[in-house]
């Protein structure tokens, strides 16, 4: 098991190299940051000097090797805009992103899994049809619109929650809701379909034939089997959430990584974009590793070598 | 009073394609400690009949359209669901055809077996696990102490079926419903599993309703046998009598289709019965077998024959039974 984890961590290095290569070249295709960094009336000489200073005149390969060399020492460069190490900026924002993603995920799962189970068990009932229809709406609602509606209702009209910012639990509620509702919808539908499939399995019939109460049949025998696909999807979604919540972050002025990255892209802040892409990719891989380790708990047929 | 008494049982299935008739007025008794065979071609309603006894049919689409099932005098179809729960796995158990899928892949053998002791005997976790290991030993699972910690995927098909039998017989039920318990197993393992069931029948005095389409198995282990065709019981007799003097043309066809070990050129007789089994959604009027029956007369196509006792203990539903 320890060996497996080490091996997987080693694979993360490959992923990091691959991702950094791809992002490095794409970012450098996107234009010249020097022009944005200087006032519009800067002279040709000034531009050229800054270019030389930042090393943009070297061949791309050389630039990449220089970047990689620094990266190996934990130095991902200095943000051109903020003039502080890019990594510091990212790690400063990361807790906010994790907090928002975690809250949205928890909320979504806590509601969606019981709802999906109920819908599956009472298949064809009003509850089933109603909740699945609502889920369809939830899936098709744009985040920004939902966020604005939530703010209008709960902040402006009712005054229950603050409109924006981060710090208190109350400030977390609305962005987590706005972000979590579509997840909720997706997980509810997923849970329902997975449960329907599992409930038709022979071992569920065996559990019933043993005289187990329905609560045990569903909550134990069916659910543990259903959790395997759910954990897979939840892990993947969590990875997406960390870097992909720009819109919600913008609506709620949430100081997360997503907004930082988008701003960096607009201002052609190469080092910052590069560093953020790298950190997010590694995080994504680590979350996947965590999910794979969770499988061991859920599925006895999965064991990662030497686990006797 | 028989242990199990089924009277005029009718089970329909409501589906988008219409209403299917799965069991059509079946009456059958099983006495305490008796081993009864239930045979018939695929789709004739054997599993539905067995599942209905434990109320394991999904309702809907299944629908109890009539009749009654009495177990130890109690009407199961009208019993409180809580009473049914108390019977399942306790007084009446069931084992299924597919040992590969009948056990839950994500729980240990011990856990799945211990559950029965915990639910029906109120045993603690550790007591139940100890009981589970003991029971595994009794059904011939080697190294039961180790096996209780293993998962189904670590066991062979035969071993899994032994585990299923252990689960079914843990509480010494009065009745075991065995739905094709050996069909999915290798021939050599089949005999072992049947032997095990028979020895437990003798030891625990558990009556067995053995569902199968393998007539050789029926001949070997049952004392009495009932033959089903498209949801109806067409013949019922002591096993020896049925094999010697089958009265229903369908039973005769079934018997003639058994491949014989001693004849290498028998293959053409495998398909003794011409025609196909009618669909549960489009059953013919009169005797369901009439369209395929070599002896069918006018009345057969018009009116369904009733099950009548023609010889002692030998009942048949046929207007024109085959004589001796
Ligand atoms: N869930 C269901 N929905 C609709 N029809 C069903 C359902 N279960 C069983 N049936 C129908 O009931 C009839 C009897 O099926 P059953 O499974 O009892 O046959 P069987 O005799 O056990 O066959 P086999 O030897 O293949 O196991 C079939 O026509 C089948 O189509
Ligand atoms: Mg069957």
């Amino acid at each position: 098991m320890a060996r497996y984890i080490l091996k997987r961590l080693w694979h993360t290095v490959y992923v990091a190299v691959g991702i950094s290569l791809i992002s490095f070249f794409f970012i450098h295709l996107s234009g010249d940051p020097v022009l944005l960094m200087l006032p519009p009336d800067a002279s040709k000489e000034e531009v050229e000097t800054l270019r030389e200073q930042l090393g943009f005149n070297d061949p791309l390969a050389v630039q990449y090797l220089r970047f990689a060399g620094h990266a190996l020492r934990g130095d991902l460069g200095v943000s051109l805009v903020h003039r502080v190490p890019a990594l510091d900026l990212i790690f400063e924002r990361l807790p906010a992103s994790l907090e928002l993603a975690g809250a949205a995920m928890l909320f979504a799962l806590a509601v969606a899994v019981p709802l999906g189970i109920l819908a599956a068990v009472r298949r064809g009932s009003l509850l089933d049809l109603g909740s699945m229809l609502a889920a369809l709406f939830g899936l098709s609602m744009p985040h920004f619109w939902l966020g604005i509606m939530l703010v209008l209702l709960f902040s402006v009209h009712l005054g229950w929650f603050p409109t924006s910012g981060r710090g208190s639990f109350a400030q977390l509620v609305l962005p987590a809701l706005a972000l979590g509702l579509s997840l909720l919808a997706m997980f509810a539908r997923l849970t329902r379909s997975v449960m329907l499939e599992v409930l038709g399995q022979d071992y569920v019939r065996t559990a019933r034939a043993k005289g187990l109460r329905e609560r045990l049949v569903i909550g134990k025998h069916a659910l543990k089997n259903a959790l395997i696909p759910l954990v897979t999807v939840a892990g993947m979604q969590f990875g997406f959430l960390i870097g992909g919540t720009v819109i919600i972050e913008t609506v709620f002025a949430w100081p997360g990584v997503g907004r930082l990255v988008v701003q960096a892209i607009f201002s052609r802040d190469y080092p910052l974009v590069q560093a953020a892409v790298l950190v997010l990719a590694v995080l994504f891989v680590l979350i996947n590793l965590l999910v794979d380790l969770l499988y061991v708990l859920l599925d006895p047929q999965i064991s990662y070598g030497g686990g006797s | 009073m028989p242990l199990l008494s089924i009277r005029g049982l009718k089970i329909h299935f409501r589906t988008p394609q219409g209403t299917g008739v799965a069991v059509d007025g079946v009456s059958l008794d099983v006495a305490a400690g008796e081993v009864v065979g239930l045979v018939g071609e695929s789709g004739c309603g054997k599993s539905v009949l067995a599942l209905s006894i434990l109320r394991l049919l999904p309702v809907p689409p299944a629908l109890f359209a009539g009749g009654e099932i009495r177990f130890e005098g109690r009407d199961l179809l009208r019993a409180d669901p809580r009473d049914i729960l108390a019977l399942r796995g306790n007084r009446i158990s069931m084992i299924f055809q597919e040992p590969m899928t009948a056990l839950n892949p994500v729980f240990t053998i011990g856990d799945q077996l211990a559950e029965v002791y915990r639910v029906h005997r109120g045993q603690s976790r550790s007591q139940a696990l100890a009981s589970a290991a003991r029971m595994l030993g009794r059904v011939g699972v080697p190294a039961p102490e180790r096996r209780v910690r293993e998962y189904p995927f670590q066991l062979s098909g035969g071993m899994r079926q032994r585990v299923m039998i252990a689960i079914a017989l843990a509480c010494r039920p009065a009745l075991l419903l065995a739905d094709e318990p050996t069909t999915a197993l290798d021939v050599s393992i089949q005999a072992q599993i049947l032997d095990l069931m028979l020895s437990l029948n003798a030891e625990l005095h558990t009556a067995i309703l053995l569902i199968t389409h393998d007539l050789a198995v029926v001949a070997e282990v049952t004392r009495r046998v009932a033959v089903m065709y498209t949801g109806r019981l067409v013949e019922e007799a002591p096993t020896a009598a049925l094999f010697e003097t089958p009265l229903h043309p369908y039973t005769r066809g079934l018997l003639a289709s058994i491949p014989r070990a001693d004849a290498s050129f028998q293959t053409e007789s495998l398909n003794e019965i011409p025609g196909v089994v009618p669909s549960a959604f489009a059953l013919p009027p009169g005797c369901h077998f009439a369209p395929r029956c070599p002896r069918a007369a006018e009345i057969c196509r018009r009116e369904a024959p009733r099950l009548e006792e023609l010889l002692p203990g030998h009942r048949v539903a046929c207007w024109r039974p085959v004589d001796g």
Side-chain angles (χ1 to χ4, degrees):
Chain A
M1 185 78 163
R3 268 191 57 186
Y4 171 80
I5 295 174
L6 279 178
K7 208 169 92 189
R8 286 289 300 266
L9 288 175
W10 178 239
H11 284 171
T12 312
V13 175
Y14 289 115
V15 173
V17 170
I19 290 284
S20 68
L21 257 174
I22 294 169
S23 57
F24 190 87
F25 289 107
F26 272 105
I27 291 166
H28 282 79
L29 282 179
S30 68
D32 194 340
V34 172
L35 295 175
L36 282 178
M37 292 167 71
L38 292 169
D41 55 352
S43 71
K44 257 199 153 116
E45 287 73 41
E46 279 175 307
V47 171
E48 202 45 45
T49 327
L50 187 58
R51 246 195 210 133
E52 194 60 43
Q53 258 179 22
L54 292 172
F56 289 154
N57 284 335
D58 299 331
L60 267 188
V62 173
Q63 290 189 47
Y64 178 76
L65 285 178
R66 189 162 53 222
F67 163 79
H70 288 143
L72 278 180
R73 275 170 268 138
D75 171 14
L76 292 182
V78 173
S79 158
L80 299 179
V81 175
H82 304 265
R83 314 227 174 242
V84 288
L87 218 46
D88 291 359
L89 280 172
I90 294 164
F91 282 133
E92 192 185 289
R93 296 288 196 105
L94 205 52
S97 285
L98 289 173
E99 180 183 303
L100 181 55
M105 188 59 93
L106 267 180
F107 157 70
L109 287 176
V111 180
V113 172
L115 193 65
I117 292 175
L118 255 148
V121 171
R122 312 225 176 113
R123 178 189 195 173
S125 69
L126 221 60
L127 178 123
D128 179 22
L129 298 176
S131 61
M132 287 309 123
L133 203 68
L136 210 59
F137 270 111
L139 272 177
S140 43
M141 234 172 329
H143 277 152
F144 76 90
W145 184 82
L146 184 65
I148 292 168
M149 287 302 129
L150 286 174
V151 169
L152 278 181
L153 180 61
F154 291 105
S155 305
V156 179
H157 268 289
L158 298 169
W160 290 355
F161 301 103
T163 51
S164 64
R166 171 177 180 244
S168 65
F169 177 74
Q171 284 170 311
L172 177 61
V173 173
L174 290 188
L177 267 181
L179 195 58
L181 273 174
S182 63
L183 277 179
L184 192 166
M186 189 199 68
F187 282 131
R189 295 177 66 84
L190 180 69
T191 306
R192 176 182 182 271
S193 68
V194 171
M195 269 315 260
L196 276 180
E197 151 108 31
V198 169
L199 285 173
Q201 298 294 315
D202 284 358
Y203 53 77
V204 168
R205 191 182 53 188
T206 305
R208 292 198 174 114
K210 286 198 285 194
L212 303 188
R213 276 170 303 135
E214 203 56 16
R215 209 190 305 164
L216 206 56
V217 173
I218 289 159
K220 178 181 172 182
H221 286 268
L223 185 58
K224 195 171 174 198
N225 283 279
L227 280 181
I228 297 169
L230 280 178
V231 164
T232 310
V233 177
M236 233 151 68
Q237 288 297 324
F238 192 70
F240 292 142
L241 276 190
I242 293 173
T245 59
V246 184
I247 289 164
I248 295 297
E249 286 177 15
T250 307
V251 172
F252 291 95
W254 188 264
V257 178
R259 213 149 48 104
L260 183 72
V261 178
V262 169
Q263 283 161 358
I265 291 171
F266 285 141
S267 54
R268 302 223 179 108
D269 192 344
Y270 289 7
L272 185 52
V273 175
Q274 179 78 53
V277 168
L278 200 57
V279 168
L280 290 176
V282 169
L283 217 60
F284 195 86
V285 174
L286 289 181
I287 290 167
N288 272 321
L289 172 59
L290 211 68
V291 167
D292 286 352
L293 294 180
L294 264 180
Y295 286 157
V296 179
L297 296 179
L298 294 175
D299 186 347
Q301 288 205 54
I302 297 178
S303 72
Y304 300 118
S308 68
Chain B
M1 181 187 67
L3 179 71
L4 175 76
S5 166
I6 300 173
R7 285 290 167 274
L9 184 65
K10 283 191 166 96
I11 298 168
H12 296 174
F13 276 97
R14 285 254 166 87
T15 70
Q17 300 95 279
T19 299
V21 180
V23 174
D24 192 12
V26 166
S27 298
L28 181 70
D29 288 348
V30 178
E34 193 183 19
V35 181
V36 177
L38 182 61
V39 298
E41 282 167 291
S42 188
C44 70
K46 307 182 296 289
S47 295
V48 168
L49 180 71
L51 288 168
S52 71
I53 297 169
L54 276 177
R55 298 266 299 269
L56 283 173
L57 285 177
V59 181
L63 175 86
F64 287 102
E68 62 175 32
I69 301 175
R70 284 188 178 273
F71 175 76
E72 293 176 331
R74 189 159 22 161
D75 185 352
L76 296 186
L77 293 184
R78 281 152 203 94
D80 188 293
R82 256 173 306 169
D83 294 339
I84 298 290
L85 277 186
L87 283 180
R88 287 179 187 167
N90 188 17
R91 300 294 297 151
I92 308 176
S93 290
M94 184 154 182
I95 52 180
F96 305 96
Q97 174 171 349
E98 276 298 333
M100 297 320 232
T101 54
L103 289 165
N104 196 323
V106 302
F107 293 103
T108 60
I109 301 300
D111 185 25
Q112 297 184 58
L113 178 46
E115 260 179 342
V116 188
Y117 290 105
R118 300 184 66 184
V119 169
H120 295 301
R121 293 283 182 268
Q123 294 185 358
S124 73
R125 217 186 158 72
S126 54
Q127 277 177 328
L129 262 180
S131 307
R134 229 176 303 127
M135 191 66 202
L136 279 186
R138 284 187 68 177
V139 297
V141 173
E145 263 80 21
R146 186 164 54 82
R147 289 292 186 191
V148 288
R149 288 194 302 273
E150 293 191 344
Y151 290 90
F153 78 92
Q154 293 168 292
L155 273 60
S156 67
M159 278 301 148
R160 286 185 218 191
Q161 200 59 301
R162 282 179 196 269
V163 172
M164 281 303 293
I165 291 174
I167 290 174
L169 297 181
C171 293
R172 302 167 159 266
L175 176 63
L176 174 65
L177 307 168
D179 191 356
E180 315 246 15
T182 60
T183 310
L185 303 176
D186 287 349
V187 183
S188 57
I189 313 285
Q190 281 186 14
Q192 290 175 19
I193 295 294
L194 286 175
D195 281 349
L196 173 66
M197 285 172 46
L198 283 185
S199 73
L200 290 166
N201 161 254
E203 212 176 305
L204 307 174
H205 204 60
T206 296
I208 300 177
L209 181 64
L210 179 66
I211 295 172
T212 179
H213 48 243
D214 189 340
L215 288 166
V217 167
V218 167
E220 208 172 311
V221 304
T222 68
R223 294 266 303 284
R224 202 153 56 80
V225 57
V227 181
M228 266 180 98
Y229 185 75
T230 56
R232 287 182 186 161
L233 220 60
V234 294
E235 185 161 8
E236 187 203 333
T239 307
L242 188 101
F243 278 83
E244 263 162 45
T245 53
L247 296 180
H248 201 286
Y250 175 65
T251 313
R252 249 176 103 96
L254 268 189
L255 289 176
S257 69
I258 306 179
R260 265 165 249 261
D262 57 329
S264 50
F265 49 84
Q266 282 274 335
T267 33
E268 73 267 28
S269 68
L270 263 175
N271 244 331
E272 201 70 23
I273 312 172
V276 293
V277 183
S279 149
F281 296 98
L283 292 169
C287 173
H288 291 169
F289 188 59
R292 301 171 73 188
C293 184
R295 299 172 61 83
E298 223 255 291
I299 186 166
C300 303
R301 298 192 184 89
R302 214 177 50 228
E303 213 174 314
R306 294 167 53 91
L307 200 64
E308 279 178 77
E309 186 158 338
L310 289 197
L311 298 168
H314 196 151
R315 301 189 298 157
V316 64
C318 183
W319 293 119
R320 309 190 61 212
V322 186
D323 27 43

